[in-house]
Amino acid sequence: GGLGGLTSIRRSRGSWTLENTLQDPVSTIISILEEKDGRLWLGTMSSGILRVSYPEGGPESGKARVERFTNNDGLPTRRENAPFPVKEETLFYTQQGIYRFEEETRRFTPDPRFASLFPEPRWVVAMEDQQGRILMWTRDEIRNTNETKLAIPQPDGTYRWEASPLSRMGDDWIYSFHLEE
């Protein structure tokens, strides 16, 4: 993923081969998540969320189906939305909190499991760790503050905030997390 679209490459016999390029001049791809069925969710810098599927023959067929989801489909803005996996589902962090996609209505809605974490919607960057906790960087635009905390899963399916051990990260801007053992 990058400026202007998505490129698929394959390593074969010691070299890389270009399979397909899905050009989208209005989208800068900032994240990619592949679901078990092979569909791709693409987070973009300013074009909402894209979902790409290859109904016949995979990426090498060149027959991609691209669905674009924007604020018309429930996203709070078109800017800096990204998919991330939590257990067996795909969630989306946005500039107004964590959202989920309702396949039946084809709309994005705020995920109620995270509603108690902060009183008003916040810009979020998130990633699940190996213990099922969710590392979150949040930005409160009203108070002009940033926080980096863990969202700890609770028995009722909701999450609670825990500051440590991430409190030492301070209030710097965080754009992604990388987990190591």
Side-chain angles (χ1 to χ4, degrees):
L3 296 170
L6 178 71
T7 300
S8 173
I9 57 175
R10 180 181 307 271
R11 184 152 175 90
S12 176
R13 295 185 211 130
S15 64
W16 292 100
T17 305
L18 178 68
E19 288 183 320
N20 188 25
T21 299
L22 177 65
Q23 293 184 348
D24 185 346
V26 300
S27 296
T28 298
I29 309 301
I30 60 173
S31 64
I32 302 170
L33 186 139
E34 182 177 8
E35 293 194 316
K36 287 183 180 182
D37 64 5
R39 289 187 297 184
L40 301 175
W41 286 103
L42 308 177
T44 72
M45 183 61 74
S46 60
S47 303
I49 297 277
L50 304 178
R51 182 165 62 175
V52 179
S53 55
Y54 294 93
E56 301 171 10
E60 61 275 5
S61 71
K63 297 179 182 177
R65 177 176 180 231
V66 179
E67 301 168 272
R68 183 181 306 275
F69 300 96
T70 66
N71 48 322
N72 295 330
D73 304 297
L75 288 170
T77 70
R78 294 174 186 244
R79 293 195 60 228
E80 299 181 53
N81 302 294
F84 73 103
V86 174
K87 296 181 183 32
E88 296 295 318
E89 66 182 308
T90 300
L91 297 180
F92 301 85
Y93 58 80
T94 74
Q95 289 188 352
Q96 295 292 311
I98 295 179
Y99 278 60
R100 61 184 178 190
F101 182 70
E102 305 288 345
E103 191 68 54
E104 305 78 38
T105 60
R106 301 185 48 73
R107 293 198 53 81
F108 288 85
T109 59
D111 192 315
R113 296 173 293 183
F114 300 93
S116 66
L117 296 185
F118 20 86
E120 57 278 321
R122 292 184 183 187
W123 187 352
V124 174
V125 173
M127 174 182 267
E128 184 181 39
D129 73 7
Q130 296 89 338
Q131 291 87 38
R133 304 172 302 181
I134 299 177
L135 292 79
M136 280 192 199
W137 171 86
T138 68
R139 170 125 182 102
D140 183 332
E141 295 284 345
I142 295 169
R143 292 177 183 79
N144 196 30
T145 60
N146 303 332
E147 291 184 293
T148 306
K149 295 185 177 183
L150 290 174
I152 310 293
Q154 301 300 293
D156 67 357
T158 61
Y159 288 80
R160 72 171 169 79
W161 273 123
E162 182 177 310
S164 62
L166 301 179
S167 60
R168 293 189 307 173
M169 296 179 92
D171 59 0
D172 287 338
W173 285 69
I174 295 176
Y175 292 98
S176 68
F177 294 98
H178 176 76
L179 299 175
E180 294 182 354
E181 291 181 23

